[in-house]
PDB file of all heavy atoms in Angstrom:
ATOM      1  N   SER V   2    -213.999 222.670  58.606  1.00 82.00           N
ATOM      2  CA  SER V   2    -213.381 221.434  59.060  1.00 82.00           C
ATOM      3  C   SER V   2    -213.669 220.312  58.062  1.00 82.00           C
ATOM      4  O   SER V   2    -214.815 220.022  57.749  1.00 82.00           O
ATOM      5  CB  SER V   2    -213.936 221.068  60.443  1.00 82.00           C
ATOM      6  OG  SER V   2    -213.253 219.963  60.949  1.00 82.00           O
ATOM      7  N   LEU V   3    -212.616 219.706  57.551  1.00 74.00           N
ATOM      8  CA  LEU V   3    -212.759 218.639  56.572  1.00 74.00           C
ATOM      9  C   LEU V   3    -212.909 217.287  57.264  1.00 74.00           C
ATOM     10  O   LEU V   3    -212.568 217.138  58.433  1.00 74.00           O
ATOM     11  CB  LEU V   3    -211.554 218.642  55.631  1.00 74.00           C
ATOM     12  CG  LEU V   3    -211.362 219.948  54.849  1.00 74.00           C
ATOM     13  CD1 LEU V   3    -210.068 219.924  54.066  1.00 74.00           C
ATOM     14  CD2 LEU V   3    -212.534 220.200  53.921  1.00 74.00           C
ATOM     15  N   THR V   4    -213.401 216.298  56.522  1.00 77.00           N
ATOM     16  CA  THR V   4    -213.672 214.975  57.073  1.00 77.00           C
ATOM     17  C   THR V   4    -212.879 213.918  56.317  1.00 77.00           C
ATOM     18  O   THR V   4    -212.273 214.189  55.280  1.00 77.00           O
ATOM     19  CB  THR V   4    -215.172 214.633  56.942  1.00 77.00           C
ATOM     20  OG1 THR V   4    -215.483 214.519  55.547  1.00 77.00           O
ATOM     21  CG2 THR V   4    -216.046 215.691  57.602  1.00 77.00           C
ATOM     22  N   VAL V   5    -212.945 212.690  56.814  1.00 75.00           N
ATOM     23  CA  VAL V   5    -212.315 211.560  56.132  1.00 75.00           C
ATOM     24  C   VAL V   5    -212.916 211.394  54.743  1.00 75.00           C
ATOM     25  O   VAL V   5    -212.217 211.049  53.787  1.00 75.00           O
ATOM     26  CB  VAL V   5    -212.448 210.268  56.955  1.00 75.00           C
ATOM     27  CG1 VAL V   5    -212.010 209.055  56.158  1.00 75.00           C
ATOM     28  CG2 VAL V   5    -211.621 210.369  58.230  1.00 75.00           C
ATOM     29  N   GLU V   6    -214.203 211.676  54.600  1.00 78.00           N
ATOM     30  CA  GLU V   6    -214.845 211.579  53.294  1.00 78.00           C
ATOM     31  C   GLU V   6    -214.236 212.596  52.314  1.00 78.00           C
ATOM     32  O   GLU V   6    -214.029 212.289  51.141  1.00 78.00           O
ATOM     33  CB  GLU V   6    -216.357 211.772  53.418  1.00 78.00           C
ATOM     34  CG  GLU V   6    -217.072 210.629  54.131  1.00 78.00           C
ATOM     35  CD  GLU V   6    -216.850 210.585  55.651  1.00 78.00           C
ATOM     36  OE1 GLU V   6    -216.533 211.637  56.269  1.00 78.00           O
ATOM     37  OE2 GLU V   6    -216.962 209.481  56.212  1.00 78.00           O
ATOM     38  N   ASP V   7    -213.927 213.804  52.793  1.00 72.00           N
ATOM     39  CA  ASP V   7    -213.266 214.807  51.964  1.00 72.00           C
ATOM     40  C   ASP V   7    -211.876 214.321  51.548  1.00 72.00           C
ATOM     41  O   ASP V   7    -211.483 214.460  50.390  1.00 72.00           O
ATOM     42  CB  ASP V   7    -213.133 216.145  52.706  1.00 72.00           C
ATOM     43  CG  ASP V   7    -214.475 216.773  53.036  1.00 72.00           C
ATOM     44  OD1 ASP V   7    -215.392 216.720  52.183  1.00 72.00           O
ATOM     45  OD2 ASP V   7    -214.598 217.314  54.150  1.00 72.00           O
ATOM     46  N   LEU V   8    -211.164 213.750  52.496  1.00 71.00           N
ATOM     47  CA  LEU V   8    -209.839 213.220  52.194  1.00 71.00           C
ATOM     48  C   LEU V   8    -209.928 212.091  51.178  1.00 71.00           C
ATOM     49  O   LEU V   8    -209.141 212.036  50.233  1.00 71.00           O
ATOM     50  CB  LEU V   8    -209.148 212.728  53.467  1.00 71.00           C
ATOM     51  CG  LEU V   8    -207.729 212.217  53.258  1.00 71.00           C
ATOM     52  CD1 LEU V   8    -206.811 212.734  54.348  1.00 71.00           C
ATOM     53  CD2 LEU V   8    -207.727 210.708  53.266  1.00 71.00           C
ATOM     54  N   THR V   9    -210.899 211.212  51.329  1.00 76.00           N
ATOM     55  CA  THR V   9    -211.075 210.094  50.402  1.00 76.00           C
ATOM     56  C   THR V   9    -211.355 210.608  48.991  1.00 76.00           C
ATOM     57  O   THR V   9    -210.811 210.083  48.010  1.00 76.00           O
ATOM     58  CB  THR V   9    -212.210 209.170  50.889  1.00 76.00           C
ATOM     59  OG1 THR V   9    -211.870 208.713  52.214  1.00 76.00           O
ATOM     60  CG2 THR V   9    -212.390 207.976  49.986  1.00 76.00           C
TER      61      THR V   9
END
Side-chain angles (χ1 to χ4, degrees):
S2 186
L3 300 174
T4 66
V5 170
E6 291 73 24
D7 296 320
L8 183 136
T9 302

